[in-house]
Amino acid sequence: MPVRQLPEQVVNRIAAGEVVERPASVVKELVENAIDAGASRIDVFTDGGGRRRIGITDDGGGMTAMDLSLAVERHATSKLDDEDLLQICTLGFRGEALPSIGSVARLSITTRHASEPHAWALSVEGGDKSEIMPAALAHGTRVEVNDLFYATPARLKFLKTDRTEAEAIREVVRRLAMARPDIAFTLAGEERAPVTWAAALPGAAGRLTRLGDILGADFRSHAIEIHAERDAVVIAGYAAAPALTKANALGQYLFVNGRPVRDKLILGAVRAAYSDYLPRDRHPVVALFVTLDPREVDANVHPAKTEVRFRNAGLVRALIVHGLKEGLAREGRRTAANSGESALSSFRPAFTPRPASWDWRQSPSAPAGPLPSFEGSTAPAFAERAQAAFDVGAPSADVRIEAQPVSDLVDRPLGAARTQLHETYIVSQTRDGLIIVDQHAAHERIVYERLKASLAANGVQRQILLIPEIVEMDEATVERLLERSEELGSFGLAIESFGPGAVAVRETPSLLGKTNAGGLLRDLSEHMAEWDEALPLERRLMHVAATMACHGSVRAGRRLRPEEMNALLREMEETPNSGQCNHGRPTYVELKLADVEKLFGRR
């Protein structure tokens, strides 16, 4: 078959296959055009999941009759002043969206520029352009897309249900609304109730307001402000406290120069920053905005412009990790699980309120005879024999502590220790409430932060075992450990081969004290089996430190003396990120006095 030039209509439909993947793609392109036109309000309406109708109305600058005629031609755009594709300051720049949409749907555009006496209208059906006609419109632009993919029926078979397509449209509008809190958005359609996001004030407060409106009150209440800047690259936005997580990465919203993107580099940086705070199967919720010189980022690497390429990717990644870690360390003890509301939701009422007309004398438990006299200190109603039922044995923990905690300790953030329950939980009293601490989780975080600090300073202190401990394991596990012996050695854990299927432990970190070397090595080998070779050395070292910290911390079931409990509380107050253990679990729960009073109906 000879080579031939394809007709213009076929070329447009091929381009539409790249740009117009589904109804949400159409909405994205048209809303981006409205934003580039300087709109302060954008209304989006869809029907049939965008398959039957999509309507976008904005109050932007509009177009003249000549511009309208050119706008539906291929590669015609007003967004490039010259031919420099490295200085892109708008969301769109290729001039492909309108002709691509017009080649596969029924497209109509009505627009009015301030310099025109009236509005103009133009329609494109299956690639055929109509004449420009006068129309009525106060200002801005109204774009309607009907019967999407009617010119390419085969594409309709690949669309999902109307509800699914409508949800994809909603997600596109949500992301664009997050990027531009200064613009008011309205989203309506038969598949959902209308939702309006009012324009917010400029600055960080307005951005948080818009993010809270879209992501919910939970995000707003747990949001931590993020800001980092270096070499003209600025990272700003908000990240949720470690207790607010999702089962997938769909709660991570990333923007580069106002453009919503899904960039693997940035997603990896977010995961690395939260590695000390979250379990492996949970993902953080963040909204980060990267601002840099347009020449330092290439937005022309993806047909839908959802991916970008940075000139200095290492700087961007390092800045994101630094900004997130700094913000999380600053708000180290803020977690939803630490709050009184979270704790109160776990309680259940132990009784059913009785009606106001209830008469105790009609109760089956009413006494059969006259009540005994209570005169004197040895009343028969309180005889020793009657009280025997209340003898539950000795306390399960050391409760020998001052009748009243020392005043200055009560004023400390974590208060003064009062008792230990089940040899696992420390109960402390603060000036306006009480705190319950999980001693193992709290000490685990303390040991972990010590290991990290020692590693960063001058190496981890180690102790030489008088008699090396021999740990037997299968040969594959031994090989895996020996391959990482240098990394383990940096944490003071010196191992060497002791024949097939055995490892000799000669040195252990002194921070861990007396530890079970066999259990530690087995846990480390299990974690190493999940590591990818591409995992950075720093991340691998932090995994080792976390595992060691778990083995070197105070175990649940150990009875603590009052001075030990208070010492643990003071160390928690001085330790970064002490609100969660290395696995993302809370280390303590705080109940304000008002919360306790609510439990007992006093408020």
Side-chain angles (χ1 to χ4, degrees), residues 452-463:
K452 288 202 303 181
S454 296
L455 184 68
N458 50 11
V460 176
Q461 296 287 331
R462 57 183 68 192
Q463 57 185 6

Side-chain angles (χ1 to χ4, degrees), residues 35-58:
I35 293 173
D36 289 338
S40 62
R41 180 176 184 85
I42 301 174
D43 298 328
V44 181
F45 177 83
T46 63
D47 182 25
R51 190 178 349 220
R52 289 192 291 270
R53 179 174 177 239
I54 296 173
I56 311 289
T57 304
D58 69 71

Side-chain angles (χ1 to χ4, degrees), residues 61-66 68 110-121 132-140:
M63 292 180 284
T64 63
M66 183 177 298
L68 178 60
T110 305
T111 183
R112 181 177 182 180
H113 191 269
S115 64
E116 296 283 349
H118 55 76
W120 298 96
I132 297 180
M133 302 288 290
L137 186 67
H139 57 272

Side-chain angles (χ1 to χ4, degrees), residues 29-40:
E29 296 292 341
L30 296 180
V31 172
E32 286 181 351
N33 282 347
I35 293 173
D36 289 338
S40 62

Side-chain angles (χ1 to χ4, degrees), residues 57 108 225 273 285 291 314 391 480 498 588:
T57 304
S108 64
E225 186 173 3
V285 182
T291 305
D391 186 6
R480 191 182 304 128
F498 195 75
Y588 71 91

Side-chain angles (χ1 to χ4, degrees), residues 454-511:
S454 296
L455 184 68
N458 50 11
V460 176
Q461 296 287 331
R462 57 183 68 192
Q463 57 185 6
I464 301 175
L465 300 183
L466 186 61
I467 301 176
E469 185 170 344
I470 309 302
V471 181
E472 296 184 355
M473 291 175 286
D474 61 84
E475 294 187 18
T477 303
V478 170
E479 291 178 4
R480 191 182 304 128
L481 286 169
L482 293 176
E483 287 175 359
R484 308 286 186 183
S485 60
E486 185 175 346
E487 296 172 17
L488 297 178
S490 64
F491 281 95
L493 184 64
I495 62 173
E496 60 184 38
S497 176
F498 195 75
V503 171
V505 181
R506 298 195 175 275
E507 298 176 2
T508 60
S510 57
L511 269 174

Side-chain angles (χ1 to χ4, degrees), residues 208-507:
L208 180 59
T209 300
R210 173 60 61 85
L211 292 176
D213 292 342
I214 295 175
L215 299 179
D218 279 348
F219 181 82
R220 184 190 289 113
S221 61
H222 299 108
I224 298 171
E225 186 173 3
I226 305 298
H227 186 86
E229 185 174 355
R230 189 191 308 159
D231 296 342
V233 179
V234 179
I235 308 294
Y238 290 88
L244 184 61
T245 61
K246 291 185 177 293
N248 51 47
L250 296 181
Q252 298 172 17
Y253 298 91
L254 312 171
F255 306 86
V256 177
N257 287 345
R259 184 190 307 279
V261 299
R262 298 289 296 177
D263 188 84
K264 292 181 180 179
L265 170 79
I266 300 179
L267 290 174
V270 171
R271 187 66 183 168
Y274 273 86
S275 60
D276 282 354
Y277 302 88
L278 298 184
R280 298 182 184 181
D281 58 344
R282 303 302 296 178
H283 298 264
V285 182
V286 300
L288 295 179
F289 301 81
V290 182
T291 305
L292 70 169
D293 187 336
R295 292 185 175 276
E296 297 297 317
V297 58
D298 187 357
N300 192 29
V301 297
H302 190 273
K305 301 186 287 290
T306 57
E307 296 180 7
V308 294
R309 184 174 297 147
F310 296 100
R311 185 186 297 272
N312 190 349
L315 172 63
V316 175
R317 184 186 186 280
L319 205 55
I320 291 174
V321 173
H322 169 74
L324 286 171
K325 283 191 172 183
E326 189 274 333
L328 292 171
R330 185 178 66 246
E331 304 288 346
R333 284 196 286 269
R334 276 186 59 191
T335 69
N338 299 146
S339 67
E341 292 182 4
S342 177
L344 284 173
S345 64
S346 301
F347 284 91
R348 298 290 181 269
F351 66 97
T352 303
R354 296 187 173 96
S357 59
W358 179 77
D359 185 0
W360 66 271
R361 288 168 293 195
Q362 305 301 320
S363 169
S365 302
L371 292 175
S373 172
F374 287 91
E375 295 179 3
S377 60
T378 56
F382 288 94
E384 288 296 325
R385 185 166 53 87
Q387 293 297 301
F390 295 96
D391 186 6
V392 294
S396 65
D398 188 349
V399 294
R400 294 172 299 168
I401 200 164
E402 296 84 1
Q404 292 296 327
V406 182
S407 178
D408 61 339
L409 293 183
V410 173
D411 293 324
R412 298 294 294 267
L414 295 181
R418 295 289 283 168
T419 188
Q420 183 189 31
L421 301 177
H422 299 287
E423 301 176 344
T424 301
Y425 302 102
I426 299 171
V427 179
S428 69
Q429 177 184 339
T430 61
R431 183 65 66 183
D432 59 350
L434 62 91
I435 291 176
I436 304 174
V437 177
D438 182 336
Q439 65 188 41
H440 173 68
H443 197 237
E444 185 177 350
R445 170 58 73 177
I446 292 170
V447 174
Y448 178 58
E449 294 296 336
R450 283 179 183 171
L451 281 170
K452 288 202 303 181
S454 296
L455 184 68
N458 50 11
V460 176
Q461 296 287 331
R462 57 183 68 192
Q463 57 185 6
I464 301 175
L465 300 183
L466 186 61
I467 301 176
E469 185 170 344
I470 309 302
V471 181
E472 296 184 355
M473 291 175 286
D474 61 84
E475 294 187 18
T477 303
V478 170
E479 291 178 4
R480 191 182 304 128
L481 286 169
L482 293 176
E483 287 175 359
R484 308 286 186 183
S485 60
E486 185 175 346
E487 296 172 17
L488 297 178
S490 64
F491 281 95
L493 184 64
I495 62 173
E496 60 184 38
S497 176
F498 195 75
V503 171
V505 181
R506 298 195 175 275
E507 298 176 2

